[in-house]
Amino acid sequence: MSVNGKKVLHMDRNSYYGGESASITPLEDLYKRFNIPGSPPESMGRGRDWNVDLIPKFLMANGQLVKMLLYTEVTRYLDFKVTEGSFVYRGGKIYKVPSTESEALASSLMGLFEKRRFRKFLVCVANFDENDPRTFEGIDPKKTTMREVYKKFDLGQDVIDFTGHALALYRTDDYLDQPCQETINRIKLYSESLARYGKSPYLYPLYGLGELPQGFARLSAIYGGTYMLNKPIEEIVIENGKVIGVKSEGEVARCKQLICDPSYVPDRVTKVGLVIRVICMLNHPIKNTNDANSCQIIIPQNQVNRKSDIYVCMISSAHNVAAQGKYIAIVSTTVETGDPEREIKPALDLLEPIEQKFVSISDLFAPTDLGTESQIFISRTYDATTHFETTCDDIKDIYKRMMGSEFDFEEMKRKKNDIYGEQEQQ
């Protein structure tokens, strides 16, 4: 918004950046936040060495958020590391996710003939160009369902599971009966992200995800934005059905438009589900991951008789988020029963032994007011996925509702050049 010439005032009731997706430091604060009595044991090292994300996410190397960071130059405030591996759960064990032809042929997830069929499928996806019908191979991207595409390549259920959930990153199987274009583009994104750095398609910022909102706050400041922490919000002032300001500590900051998360406007959102997240402190890497210092594990719903996937994100002292020799694994999924902790048992079993657990169960909210009249634009709650693609879709949706036009990456580039000048971009 600042880049587009809007005057931006950012108010946050918290004393730290990032709201519900903050990174908590020192470790003592995390214990307090989860009401765990006493202080962390000495074996946990120095409290200041920990930066623990409340909501685990990785960035797709070729995804929307990385493009936003690059185009807006927020990357100048951040350092990233490539996540060391991406794994998928099958039959109680974890396997490296094959996403290139050579990995597919070497994978123990499939038999010999299945490997050949999967390789053909990957080649078709890699060559697919939605603007060139010659690359369609008899598939109509707007009509043919993904189920029909899998059938065309004669792929078995296990391969369908890891393709849909570990490559295309769907949380449920609803996508199978929808046109295949979206799925093919998602698999292409995964492969292109992987091709950038080789080990996995995911990136993670040193010192934790709390660095991201700080980077964007700095960018906003360059364009005249103002950021205020520790600002309690007393009232959102409405006149004739439209927002005109925000009252804090007796003063009203006037505005024409307001962006906020659901916690500020409980009367304008609806509950759409629950997410369970369990932060696990470990003193060892996860078994069967080649001692990776960071990885993602996806447990497809079919493997554990669920409707939605279970995710495990693991990072460590290599990312300056934990004390030396320590690892943080965060399990998350959409809650489906009255016993959420039992639902994530398959994931916790992969992490044993666990030194300390922090369990949170959060409501998922979606706006009932789209802001057309009120000019209040409300974000959706962070979902259980371990990447930022759905969050970026929400940001672009809010942008479109506010500005009346699509978010344009190229426009961002041009605006940035106006400020920094062409020379510095070279």
Side-chain angles (χ1 to χ4, degrees), residues 12 24 33 56 100 106 155 180 185 288 302 333 343 398:
D12 196 326
I24 301 298
R33 191 182 181 96
T100 61
L155 299 179
C180 63
N185 283 333
N288 305 318
N302 271 341
T333 193
E343 293 182 47
I398 289 173

Side-chain angles (χ1 to χ4, degrees), residues 58-77:
F58 287 135
L59 289 78
M60 294 288 281
N62 217 29
Q64 302 182 82
L65 182 55
V66 169
K67 283 181 182 162
M68 285 180 191
L69 291 168
L70 283 168
Y71 284 179
T72 54
E73 289 273 297
V74 172
T75 41
R76 58 173 65 191
Y77 310 119

Side-chain angles (χ1 to χ4, degrees), residues 249-293:
E249 300 174 311
E251 293 179 311
V252 175
R254 300 185 75 80
C255 66
K256 291 177 182 163
Q257 291 180 310
L258 175 72
I259 307 174
C260 62
D261 74 39
S263 67
Y264 289 96
V265 280
D267 56 329
R268 293 173 190 265
V269 294
T270 183
K271 183 175 163 180
V272 290
L274 283 170
V275 172
I276 178 168
R277 296 185 179 93
V278 182
I279 300 168
C280 302
M281 309 278 184
L282 315 176
N283 60 4
H284 59 88
I286 298 171
K287 294 181 199 78
N288 305 318
T289 61
N290 285 334
D291 291 346
N293 64 32

Side-chain angles (χ1 to χ4, degrees), residues 141-160:
K142 291 194 164 56
K143 286 190 184 149
T144 312
T145 66
M146 203 58 212
R147 197 185 294 277
E148 290 165 334
V149 173
Y150 288 143
K151 201 170 173 187
K152 173 183 164 75
F153 287 93
D154 199 15
L155 299 179
Q157 187 56 50
D158 281 343
V159 178
I160 289 171

Side-chain angles (χ1 to χ4, degrees), residues 10-66:
H10 193 141
M11 299 162 80
D12 196 326
R13 61 164 88 91
N14 299 305
S15 58
Y16 49 81
Y17 292 92
E20 60 174 349
S21 65
S23 305
I24 301 298
T25 186
L27 188 57
E28 289 76 4
D29 284 9
L30 190 71
Y31 272 65
K32 278 184 209 142
R33 191 182 181 96
F34 284 87
N35 299 318
I36 290 174
S39 50
E42 277 186 28
S43 62
M44 289 291 188
R46 284 191 323 172
R48 283 258 157 236
D49 288 343
W50 295 82
N51 280 294
V52 184
D53 298 329
L54 296 177
I55 294 180
K57 299 269 183 195
F58 287 135
L59 289 78
M60 294 288 281
N62 217 29
Q64 302 182 82
L65 182 55
V66 169

Side-chain angles (χ1 to χ4, degrees), residues 29 32 60 67 127-129 138 152 155 186 197 207-208 222 239 267 282 290 336 374 390 398:
D29 284 9
K32 278 184 209 142
M60 294 288 281
K67 283 181 182 162
N127 293 333
F128 177 83
D129 176 356
K152 173 183 164 75
L155 299 179
R186 280 177 171 227
Y197 300 107
Y207 300 103
I222 289 172
E239 209 172 80
D267 56 329
L282 315 176
N290 285 334
E336 295 178 5
S374 66
T390 48
I398 289 173

